[in-house]
Amino acid sequence: MDQLHALLAAAHADHHQLPRLHPPGGHRRRAAGAEGSTGRFVDRPPLLWDPYSLAADRYKLRIPTDAPSGLYWPRFGLYDFKTLERLPAYDRDNILLPNGPELPPIKVVAAAPDPTPTHPLTIQIGDLATLLGYDLTLPTAPQPGDSFTLTLYYRVNATTDVGYTQFVHIYNPTLGMAAQTDRPPGGGANPTWAWTPGEIIAESINLVIQPDTPDGSYELLVGLYDPATGDRLPLILERGEALPNGQVPLQQIQIGE
């Protein structure tokens, strides 16, 4: 909360407040918003604010029913109703907050039925989650430069304090890496430390086959690792067998001739 001790510029006119719920990179979309005149009490509009007392203002934000699961950061600020110009906000060290003050995140868990992946699986990922399967949208004859989408389905079993990185690799030990992405789930919008037991996660990943990829057969591999140590979470098949190298070999992909 320290960064939220914002020093708002002095209010010389009546201003309006804009509370919002934003995911990471909130310029992309907004989950909820409310707007109105600050200082609900008629005897305490911003014109009458002073440095010696608090001005309370309460808003109810309604989260849309179609908001995707993930973390959302409440942001707020003041703007001049006539000019729409926002007042600058600063933290306690007098550093400008370009997006305005931000409160701790709120986790939204969207209601979701059990998925029906095209390729069902039951693989335990440590104590954290179960990989339920995947969908793969792949060109009929993948070529270097082609793009495709992989969707992974997880059911969360337990909480964790670790923000694991999800990796997706298309790899051949002789020919090398044809495509890869290493990132937190949801691109950071729904990190593993915010996962909630029982939550169903559909994670879509776009991959591009590198233009200089040699022709050959590659394996599509996925898993999770701790970015601080590089340690991968163990993967256990339904019959109790552990997968080697902490990676799930989803399927072979033939690239080129």
Side-chain angles (χ1 to χ4, degrees):
M1 294 290 289
D2 286 347
Q3 76 272 23
L4 299 176
H5 291 274
L7 302 175
L8 293 175
H12 296 294
D14 192 20
H15 293 89
H16 284 233
Q17 185 155 253
L18 54 160
R20 298 282 188 264
L21 279 181
H22 287 272
H27 59 280
R28 293 175 295 177
R29 68 183 193 275
R30 187 173 76 229
E35 205 162 303
S37 178
T38 58
R40 294 295 182 88
F41 302 106
V42 294
D43 59 338
R44 290 302 305 279
L47 280 170
L48 300 180
W49 286 3
D50 61 66
Y52 310 107
S53 57
L54 295 177
D57 207 9
R58 293 179 176 87
Y59 287 86
K60 180 181 289 187
L61 300 179
R62 186 179 301 278
I63 299 172
T65 56
D66 60 350
S69 295
L71 293 178
Y72 294 82
W73 276 257
R75 292 178 184 167
F76 61 94
L78 297 175
Y79 68 92
D80 187 308
F81 186 69
K82 292 181 179 179
T83 66
L84 301 183
E85 182 178 354
R86 295 192 182 189
L87 296 183
Y90 303 87
D91 67 11
R92 65 190 313 166
D93 297 318
N94 206 32
I95 297 175
L96 179 67
L97 302 172
N99 295 317
E102 190 172 81
L103 298 174
I106 295 171
K107 175 63 184 284
V108 172
V109 178
D114 285 346
T116 55
T118 306
H119 306 277
L121 298 168
T122 304
I123 299 176
Q124 294 298 120
I125 307 174
D127 296 325
L128 178 62
T130 302
L131 179 61
L132 302 175
Y134 68 98
D135 298 331
L136 183 63
T137 303
L138 196 66
T140 303
Q143 301 294 320
D146 284 348
S147 62
F148 61 95
T149 300
L150 170 70
T151 301
L152 301 170
Y153 297 95
Y154 300 99
R155 178 185 291 114
V156 181
N157 301 327
T159 60
T160 181
D161 294 330
V162 180
Y164 289 101
T165 295
Q166 176 183 259
F167 69 88
V168 180
H169 296 168
I170 299 179
Y171 180 71
N172 177 301
T174 302
L175 302 175
M177 193 75 71
Q180 75 174 98
T181 177
D182 291 57
R183 66 172 196 177
N190 196 12
T192 56
W193 57 261
W195 284 9
T196 302
E199 181 179 359
I200 299 295
I201 296 170
E203 174 75 3
S204 292
I205 304 107
N206 294 319
L207 289 161
V208 179
I209 301 172
Q210 297 177 14
D212 58 351
T213 298
D215 293 350
S217 180
Y218 294 77
E219 201 159 35
L220 178 59
L221 306 166
V222 301
L224 293 169
Y225 65 88
D226 185 339
T229 64
D231 293 338
R232 295 180 175 181
L233 281 175
L235 302 168
I236 309 297
L237 297 173
E238 195 170 12
R239 57 182 179 269
E241 178 185 351
L243 289 170
N245 302 319
Q247 58 190 16
V248 181
L250 296 183
Q251 68 179 64
Q252 294 287 327
I253 295 177
Q254 178 67 37
I255 298 175
E257 298 297 333

